[in-house]
Amino acid sequence: MQSLSDELKEKIKKKEAQIVVIGLGFVGLPTAVLFANAGFNVTGIDINPKIIEIVNEGKSPIEEPELDDLIRKVIENKKLVVSTKYDGTIENADVIIFVVQTPLGKNKKPDLTYLKNALTEASKYIKKQSLIIIESTTPPGTTHNIVIPIIEKISKLKNGVDFWVAYCPERIAPGKAVKEFIENNRLVGGTDETSTELAYSLLTQITKGKVIKTTALTAEISKVAENTFRDINIAYANELALLCEHLNADVISVIQCANTHPRVNIHLPGPGVGGPCLTKDPHFLITSVSMELPSDLIIPSRKINDYMPKHVVSLTEEALKNQDKKISDCKIAIFGLAYKGDVNDTRESPAIKIYELLSARGANLVIVDPFINEWQGISIYDDPINAVVNADVILIATDHSMFKKLDYSLLKTKMNEKPILVDGKRILSKQQIEELGFVYVGVGV
Ligand code: SAJ
């Protein structure tokens, strides 16, 4: 006789399992769309009615290559249905995937309110024989110590008997969501053998990459450890940049030389680290569900990266001082508001911190970003040529491809005498920019 979990596995393999995805943000929406596109009947739930309205029109509320086309397709063929309501959908769900936001709260502590609320609400309707997947980033221990107890308490069902839970983190970079969801390797962190097997059979339906089986706790730690590795590596590059400025050397040449070693891969310095992941996950790593753990490396690295916007402002201030100018008397064109190149995402962007610091010093500021039209009521230039009229400084805060290809000699003709170019991302050649008549200042040079 087939066990209940075998029946569910069979349903998943035949794509007959009903999937509910809770949270249709940057990660949840591509998750829902890809399962629907693979042939599953998917219901997406989000408490934000605006998201539901846009998706129902067959459009994407976020800018992601390929996502618009896929949404149109799965809304038209009714493989994806979206709603703000839990009741009437969860009762029939064989698989429930939680992808709600887990932000940093006060004092940089994880704020699991959205996840707890979604679990509490959904648990009222969960049926027997369902698979629960947690895809949100969580502090280690959350699946066992928070997720399972909430479901058991509200649903009165028993974990491992009536339902199964696995932690399966996402690893997609914003701007490449669809491609990376399909191609990247995935982790499946089960809470027992059955949940691992069920989650494995589910993820292999949409992933071409390897699906690696492990425990929920290991997957939780691995997820935040990956982003923390990157954050620490960038902090090292940033500290190296600060050292090179004192040593009168160019950090980019140093990193290029060092990276020719077969076991060295130093990341790139810049105006700071942005985005929702690298700025958050190191704090999650050191905050297990019950206590804050000691760390002599992780938080100091965060501090280095958090300092970089101030450093870029200091570099600007110093360059202006050398010309007997004050920030408050100058016009500065900030090139880039997004947190990284070629995306329209401004979450935790170092460019915003730079903007705020310069604004507090009384600078006359304009922003150029080809991916963003407006930010906090401020209109943003997409054409740099109009933005730099009578500017004293161009400050590159984001490495959009467009900024690498501009005609800086033309821009210079619109700017004030002795224009300064502050290259926060080190995307231009110091020599070429100086030859055009700019004063070139860069992080780590
Ligand atoms: N940055 C540097 N120097 C570098 C690389 C990046 O200063 O050498 C800066 C970027 O400009 C940006 C920030 O770091 O401000 C973060 O950008 P990112 O490209 O490192 O990554 P994210 O935040 O867009 O996505 C990361 C990815 N994690 C890793 O590469 C380990 C992605 O795979 C994760 O899925 C994502 O976090 C997430 O959702 O956790």
Side-chain angles (χ1 to χ4, degrees), residues 52-81:
I52 301 303
E53 193 187 313
I54 299 171
V55 176
N56 265 331
E57 286 166 8
K59 294 185 200 142
S60 173
I62 52 171
E63 212 157 293
E64 274 294 347
E66 297 172 67
L67 197 58
D68 250 325
D69 289 346
L70 286 173
I71 291 180
R72 197 176 321 115
K73 181 177 155 196
V74 294
I75 288 288
E76 268 173 20
N77 68 17
K78 298 198 168 46
K79 282 289 170 191
L80 176 67
V81 176

Side-chain angles (χ1 to χ4, degrees), residues 27 137 170-174 180 184 223 225-231 233-234 237-238 266-279 281 305 338-341 348-350 397 399 425:
V27 179
T137 302
E170 56 81 20
R171 295 164 131 184
I172 49 137
E180 293 207 345
N184 286 5
K223 165 67 197 175
E226 291 161 10
N227 283 343
T228 304
F229 162 79
R230 196 156 164 85
D231 195 49
N233 195 327
I234 298 167
N238 282 332
I266 305 172
H267 289 14
L268 294 170
V273 165
C277 308
L278 271 57
T279 51
D281 293 2
N305 291 337
Y339 85 84
K340 66 175 182 178
E348 304 298 325
S349 177
D399 50 348
K425 285 301 283 189

Side-chain angles (χ1 to χ4, degrees), residues 358-424:
L358 289 171
S359 170
R361 282 171 171 71
N364 171 13
L365 298 170
V366 289
I367 306 170
V368 182
D369 197 307
F371 294 87
I372 301 164
N373 298 327
E374 188 248 291
W375 168 72
Q376 294 194 346
I378 300 168
S379 49
I380 295 179
Y381 289 83
D382 57 358
D383 182 1
I385 199 83
N386 297 324
V388 300
V389 173
N390 296 331
D392 302 279
V393 180
I394 289 175
L395 190 162
I396 298 175
T398 310
D399 50 348
H400 289 316
S401 308
M402 177 203 197
F403 299 151
K404 299 174 191 168
K405 299 176 210 144
L406 292 173
D407 181 350
Y408 285 90
S409 61
L410 180 64
L411 294 183
K412 184 177 170 282
T413 61
K414 309 284 174 194
M415 296 177 70
N416 285 345
E417 287 287 287
K418 292 198 240 159
I420 296 166
L421 193 142
V422 182
D423 191 354

Side-chain angles (χ1 to χ4, degrees), residues 186-330:
R186 290 294 297 263
L187 302 177
V188 160
T191 51
D192 59 13
E193 214 175 298
T194 309
S195 57
T196 311
E197 286 309 317
L198 287 170
Y200 178 88
S201 56
L202 182 77
L203 287 195
T204 45
Q205 302 288 332
I206 56 163
T207 305
K208 284 190 195 150
K210 279 190 205 142
V211 180
I212 300 123
K213 296 177 195 172
T214 183
T215 64
L217 181 64
T218 302
E220 283 175 332
I221 301 174
S222 304
K223 165 67 197 175
V224 287
E226 291 161 10
N227 283 343
T228 304
F229 162 79
R230 196 156 164 85
D231 195 49
I232 292 172
N233 195 327
I234 298 167
Y236 177 53
N238 282 332
E239 187 157 302
L240 212 49
L242 301 178
L243 293 172
C244 283
E245 286 175 20
H246 287 293
L247 294 168
N248 213 8
D250 181 348
V251 70
I252 298 298
S253 306
V254 170
I255 291 174
Q256 279 167 353
C257 287
N259 282 355
T260 60
H261 185 292
R263 284 177 293 281
V264 174
N265 176 24
I266 305 172
H267 289 14
L268 294 170
V273 165
C277 308
L278 271 57
T279 51
K280 174 182 89 167
D281 293 2
H283 293 284
F284 274 33
L285 180 55
I286 61 148
T287 318
S288 86
V289 279
S290 49
M291 60 175 171
E292 185 155 321
L293 304 166
S295 152
D296 289 332
L297 175 69
I298 295 169
I299 297 307
S301 299
R302 279 272 70 244
K303 285 190 180 144
I304 295 172
N305 291 337
D306 276 348
Y307 162 71
M308 293 313 287
K310 283 193 201 112
H311 182 64
V312 171
V313 170
S314 301
L315 288 176
T316 311
E317 199 162 30
E318 223 171 282
L320 285 168
K321 213 162 140 197
N322 288 341
Q323 298 182 359
D324 293 323
K325 288 182 189 165
K326 280 198 278 183
I327 282 187
S328 55
D329 298 331
C330 292

